[in-house]
Amino acid sequence: MTEAAEPIDLRSDTVTRPSPAMRRAMAEAPVGDDQYGEDPSVNRLQQRIAALLGKEAALFVPSGTMANQIALKLLTRPGDEVLAGEDAHMIWHEAGAGAANSGVQFTPVGRGGLFTADAFRAAIKPRGHIVWPPTALVAIENTHNLGGGRVWPQADIVAICKAARDAGIATYLDGARLFNASVASGAALADLAQPFDLVSVALSKGLGCPVGSVIAGSAADIARAARARRMFGGAMRQSGILAAAGLYALDHHLPQLAADHANARLIAEQLAAIPGILRDLATVETNIVVFRLADGLPDAASVVARAGAAGVLVSALGARTVRAVTHRDVSHADCARAAERLAEILRSAGG
Ligand SMILES: *Cc1c(COP(=O)(O)O)cnc(C)c1O
C-alpha cells in the first residue's frame, strides 16, 4: 500500500488539534488568576459568548459535561425529574453524573432526540403528586448528536419553552454544537438561545479548541454556576491560555463550519446510494452522518473494523448504527476518499 499512514479520522469533531496560529494565540494570551476574576482572556471570552447568546453573563468551564452538570445542579433538586430527548448526552454519556451529583432521574421524550410541545406537555409530572417525581427541567440538545446532528425546528423549541414556563419548569439548552445549528439554519445564536434559562456551547468540537465549554444565562444564575463549578473541581487559574483558543476560534473557525456540513453531505450522498443503508438524506443538516445497516449487511463493529483497516476511522453507536463526523481537520478530498472507501466496504459486504 502506498496510502498515507495518517488515517482519516471521522470518529468525532473532538479529535481536532489546535493549529499553529491557535497555539500562538494561546501562548501570547494575557492571563491572571481566574478565581479572583482577574484573567483578562477568560473575561473577554465569557463576555463575548454571553453577547453572542444574548445572555447577561457566561462562565468558562472545562467540558461540556461539566456545563451540563452545573445546569442540573442549578435547576433541579434531588428527586426531581428531567425530561430530555431520546439518546441525550446527559442520559448516555456522562457516566451517571446527573444521578450521582444532583439526584435527578431522566425520562426520555419523543424519538430520535426531537420531540413536540404536545409530547412534552403529555410527559410533565406535576409537583405535589404523592408518588410522581416532579418534572423540574426540560433539556434540549441542538444539534442532537446521536440523532444525527439534527437541527431542532425553532418553532418547536419556542413552544416547548413556553409550555415549560407556564408549568414552572426550567429550560436548558445543551448547545455543544449550537454553532453548527446556527450556521446550518442561518439563525442567530441569540435567537436559538433566547427561549432558555441556561445555554451551553462547546469550544472543543467543531470550533477546534483543545479544551472548554461556556455556560450562559442570567447574572444571578451564572454567579451560582461559578460556585457549582468550584464544587465540581472545575475552577481554574490562568485558564486564559485555554480561553484564548476560544477567542481565536470565534474569529477564524466559526465561519468555516459550513465546509464541514458540505463534507458530511458528500459522505451521506455516497452512502445513501447503497442498498441496505438506511439513511434519510434530509436529516444530514450539519457535520454528523449517522447511518443504519440493514439486516444482510455486516454489523456496526465489523464495518468500523474494516473501515479502520482501510484508513477511515468511524464509530459504532449501536449494534447496527455507525457515525461519521466531519470537522476542520479533514478536507473535502479526505471526505470524498473516506466516502468511497466506506461505500466499497458496504457494497462488497452487501453482495
Ligand atoms: C460532546 C457533547 C457534550 C460534552 O462533551 P465533553 O466531552 O464533556 O466536552 C455535551 N453534549 C453534547 C450533545 C455533546 O455532543
Side-chain angles (χ1 to χ4, degrees):
M1 294 254 292
T2 55
E3 297 293 346
E6 189 89 347
I8 302 168
D9 195 345
L10 303 174
R11 287 171 302 170
S12 176
D13 44 10
T14 56
V15 302
T16 48
R17 290 169 214 172
S19 64
M22 179 181 276
R23 286 171 186 266
R24 268 197 303 283
M26 296 171 73
E28 290 164 8
V31 296
D33 190 329
D34 183 53
Q35 288 307 285
Y36 292 95
E38 289 173 4
D39 190 302
S41 301
V42 170
N43 290 341
R44 260 181 72 210
L45 177 70
Q46 291 175 164
Q47 282 156 12
R48 202 159 155 196
I49 293 207
L52 277 174
L53 295 174
K55 301 296 184 197
E56 284 175 1
L59 188 74
F60 184 50
V61 295
S63 71
T65 298
M66 189 176 289
N68 287 352
Q69 292 306 310
I70 288 172
L72 290 174
K73 198 72 178 166
L74 261 54
L75 302 177
T76 67
R77 292 162 59 184
D80 283 347
E81 177 193 60
V82 177
L83 296 177
E86 193 184 46
D87 294 335
H89 195 278
M90 271 188 187
I91 300 179
W92 279 94
H93 285 183
E94 300 183 8
N101 293 326
S102 296
V104 294
Q105 80 178 42
F106 293 99
T107 302
V109 193
R111 300 287 299 163
L114 277 58
F115 50 92
T116 62
D118 283 344
F120 168 66
R121 270 188 293 265
I124 293 173
K125 298 179 184 69
R127 281 197 184 281
H129 191 280
I130 187 126
V131 295
W132 293 341
T135 307
L137 172 67
V138 57
I140 283 178
E141 227 175 271
N142 195 15
T143 65
H144 195 277
N145 173 14
L146 300 186
R150 298 291 308 276
V151 179
W152 268 76
Q154 192 63 14
D156 285 345
I157 283 185
V158 169
I160 289 164
C161 290
K162 179 174 186 312
R165 206 140 285 136
D166 292 346
I169 294 169
T171 54
Y172 174 59
L173 172 58
D174 175 354
R177 294 191 180 83
L178 194 67
F179 295 115
N180 297 88
S182 169
V183 166
S185 65
L189 287 161
D191 290 336
L192 298 178
Q194 196 281 329
F196 294 93
D197 296 321
L198 285 174
V199 177
S200 69
V201 291
L203 305 170
S204 58
K205 300 248 158 103
L207 284 194
C209 300
V211 176
S213 278
V214 178
I215 183 165
S218 71
D221 276 346
I222 294 306
R224 292 172 62 217
R227 190 159 187 283
R229 179 183 66 175
R230 179 80 190 172
M231 188 185 286
F232 288 144
M236 300 174 284
R237 300 295 179 173
Q238 285 74 33
S239 37
I241 294 266
L242 303 172
L247 290 165
Y248 179 89
L250 290 175
D251 288 333
H252 298 96
H253 295 176
L254 179 52
Q256 298 173 0
L257 289 178
D260 298 346
H261 300 175
N263 288 340
R265 208 164 168 83
L266 172 86
I267 294 171
E269 277 165 8
Q270 283 252 12
L271 296 183
I274 299 168
I277 297 297
L278 311 174
R279 168 72 276 163
D280 176 4
L281 258 189
T283 66
V284 180
E285 299 169 314
T286 60
N287 66 326
I288 300 179
V289 183
V290 172
F291 56 97
R292 285 186 51 74
L293 304 155
D295 293 337
L297 287 178
D299 65 7
S302 9
V303 169
V304 168
R306 285 185 219 182
V312 178
L313 306 184
V314 291
S315 29
L317 290 190
R320 308 204 66 83
T321 312
V322 177
R323 184 184 78 165
V325 184
T326 58
H327 52 79
R328 54 179 300 100
D329 285 5
V330 289
S331 66
H332 182 85
D334 289 335
C335 292
R337 209 148 17 102
E340 258 166 49
R341 289 183 193 169
L342 284 171
E344 270 166 36
I345 288 164
L346 295 165
R347 282 219 167 82
S348 63

